[in-house]
Amino acid sequence: MGLISAPQARADENESNLKISGFMSLVAGRTSSTTLPADYAGPTSIDGHACPCYTADWGNAGVYTDSLSLRPESRAGIQLKYVLTPQFNLVGQVVVRGSDTSPNLQWAYASYMPSKNWEFQLGRKRIPLYFYSDFQDIGMSYPWVGVPPELYGWEATNYNGASVRYRTMVGDTNLAIGLFGGKETVKDALYDRLFYNSKTRVEWNNLVGADLEASQGGVTARAVYMQTDVRSTNALVGLNDKAKLRAYGLATNVDLDNWFVLTEVTQLTRDFDSGYKITAPAYTVGAGYHYGDWTPFLNYASYKEKTSNSQMYAPQSYQRWSLTLRYDLGIRSALKAQVDRNKDVTRNFGGNVTVMRLSYDQLF
């Protein structure tokens, strides 16, 4: 008894090389206390949703109205990792969303680590523009119901290409330096559905970037730079824009036992071939406190566009306060309740709204 035959032992050994994990976030929300200013100059509906409304997920066209809905931010994903050797593995991740029920391939890459310091990856990955980019779909990874939309979410969130990462120690500080490059084509950008009622093709070409992350004790800081050539086309609305996109970012997180502070700031600039420029600084800052299984978290975020030609483009600007209460059911699941007050500063996209959301996050 207790003996395993040779064929079965080999099968179990092979199966152990395949690691399967998953995640789910079930998010329900609605707006209240909504107003459209008398001088409101924006659309009366966004992606078919009547305004006043709130865009919680720009990259996936997740919009809340005064009707309770699970669609804007609910999502589920599965990740497969196959370990060929201790140095070489294959990773894939597929995600399904309430706003887009078609399965989307987020990750599909090969990873090679010739040593503990170096890692090379080739394939499809998330663009590492923000601190939470790699795991922004995994609600268990952060205190909010969803990552701050003022920063996260553009026409393209993934890229096909290659990256290299070097990790080392300098004194008591952990350092990681990364380089990445590639391209991405989105045939029907959900982000652009917020502005147009038809399909928009988006191409990000010649994408290159670098990031530097340092951590010591309870402090982690990350800086990033990225640039790419962007082209957006939509024949039905006569859109054919070309621009050079440059992005800078800095995130600093501090963990002081029970207290913690999360901050992130970015600036994206688009220089259009048609002769105008849009600069969009954005930031988020929040503080929370771990009290047993409970975590209250207060956050402020801002997004403000500036344009060199207001006749060609009307800039947008938002300010938002949020209060989140998270309760950890265990190490793999949590409940969150969040209230947001969003101000449409430029009075041209959605109006002023209060948003109430509840979420259940689960890891598998």
Side-chain angles (χ1 to χ4, degrees):
M1 294 180 62
L3 297 178
I4 301 176
S5 64
Q8 183 180 352
R10 285 195 297 270
D12 291 342
E13 182 180 2
N14 290 335
E15 289 177 358
S16 67
N17 291 339
L18 179 63
K19 304 180 186 301
I20 302 176
S21 59
F23 59 88
M24 177 192 72
S25 288
L26 189 64
V27 185
R30 58 161 296 182
T31 62
S32 66
S33 304
T34 59
T35 59
L36 284 180
D39 59 346
Y40 179 75
T44 57
S45 67
I46 297 174
D47 192 33
H49 304 280
C51 295
C53 55
Y54 175 69
T55 304
D57 185 348
W58 290 79
N60 297 291
V63 181
Y64 287 103
T65 65
D66 59 2
S67 297
L68 185 67
S69 178
L70 294 168
R71 295 187 60 185
E73 294 181 281
S74 294
R75 57 203 179 271
I78 186 170
Q79 179 176 307
L80 305 178
K81 180 178 180 179
Y82 189 79
V83 180
L84 293 169
T85 71
Q87 295 79 30
F88 188 74
N89 57 72
L90 304 174
V91 178
Q93 185 185 96
V94 175
V95 177
V96 175
R97 307 178 188 279
S99 59
D100 180 18
T101 55
S102 301
N104 289 282
L105 184 65
Q106 302 291 328
W107 289 355
Y109 65 88
S111 177
Y112 175 60
M113 293 186 65
S115 70
K116 66 178 182 179
N117 300 102
W118 290 95
E119 182 176 12
F120 300 86
Q121 296 181 343
L122 178 66
R124 182 167 180 80
K125 286 196 67 185
R126 277 288 174 89
I127 301 171
L129 182 55
Y130 304 106
F131 187 86
Y132 293 99
S133 288
D134 277 353
F135 38 93
Q136 68 184 66
D137 285 329
I138 304 175
M140 284 292 294
S141 302
Y142 41 76
W144 312 278
V145 166
V147 289
E150 293 79 10
L151 285 76
Y152 291 75
W154 294 95
E155 312 99 305
T157 55
N158 299 290
Y159 76 105
N160 301 299
S163 67
V164 57
R165 196 156 194 84
Y166 177 74
R167 299 177 178 88
T168 188
M169 287 281 295
V170 178
D172 295 330
T173 303
N174 291 291
L175 288 179
I177 303 170
L179 301 173
F180 56 93
K183 62 180 181 179
E184 172 70 331
T185 298
V186 185
K187 296 181 180 179
D188 182 11
L190 297 179
Y191 174 90
D192 286 290
R193 287 189 185 180
L194 301 172
F195 305 95
Y196 312 112
N197 293 322
S198 53
K199 293 182 179 181
T200 301
R201 179 186 177 93
V202 174
E203 301 171 39
W204 283 27
N205 294 310
N206 304 315
L207 186 155
V208 294
D211 73 286
L212 171 64
E213 184 172 318
S215 61
Q216 181 179 359
V219 180
T220 300
R222 179 179 184 267
V224 63
Y225 171 78
M226 185 202 75
Q227 68 179 41
T228 186
D229 298 321
V230 179
R231 183 178 183 183
S232 303
T233 56
N234 186 323
L236 290 180
V237 298
L239 176 67
N240 188 0
D241 277 340
K242 294 181 181 179
K244 170 70 75 172
L245 170 63
R246 295 180 177 86
Y248 307 85
L250 176 65
T252 304
N253 299 332
V254 181
D255 193 342
L256 303 172
D257 295 325
N258 292 331
W259 286 97
F260 64 98
V261 177
L262 306 180
T263 70
E264 190 164 8
V265 58
T266 63
Q267 178 163 296
L268 278 68
T269 300
R270 296 178 191 242
D271 285 295
F272 288 86
D273 287 0
S274 51
Y276 69 102
K277 180 170 69 175
I278 300 173
T279 301
Y283 67 91
T284 177
V285 57
Y289 183 81
H290 298 299
Y291 184 76
D293 295 326
W294 296 90
T295 304
F297 185 76
L298 180 65
N299 196 85
Y300 177 77
S302 172
Y303 174 85
K304 184 178 182 179
E305 291 179 341
K306 304 174 184 177
T307 178
S308 63
N309 190 330
S310 58
Q311 299 299 317
M312 298 188 71
Y313 180 81
Q316 300 175 6
S317 179
Y318 315 97
Q319 297 174 355
R320 180 178 58 88
W321 283 96
S322 66
L323 178 62
T324 311
L325 182 61
R326 169 174 170 158
Y327 178 71
D328 288 304
L329 299 168
I331 61 173
R332 306 184 71 84
S333 61
L335 294 171
K336 300 175 191 172
Q338 182 167 316
V339 178
D340 304 78
R341 181 57 185 173
N342 185 71
K343 182 178 181 181
D344 181 3
V345 177
T346 45
R347 301 177 296 280
N348 61 3
F349 205 81
N352 302 322
V353 298
T354 296
V355 189
M356 297 175 291
R357 286 178 283 176
L358 294 173
S359 71
Y360 171 71
D361 300 316
Q362 174 74 56
L363 297 177
F364 303 102

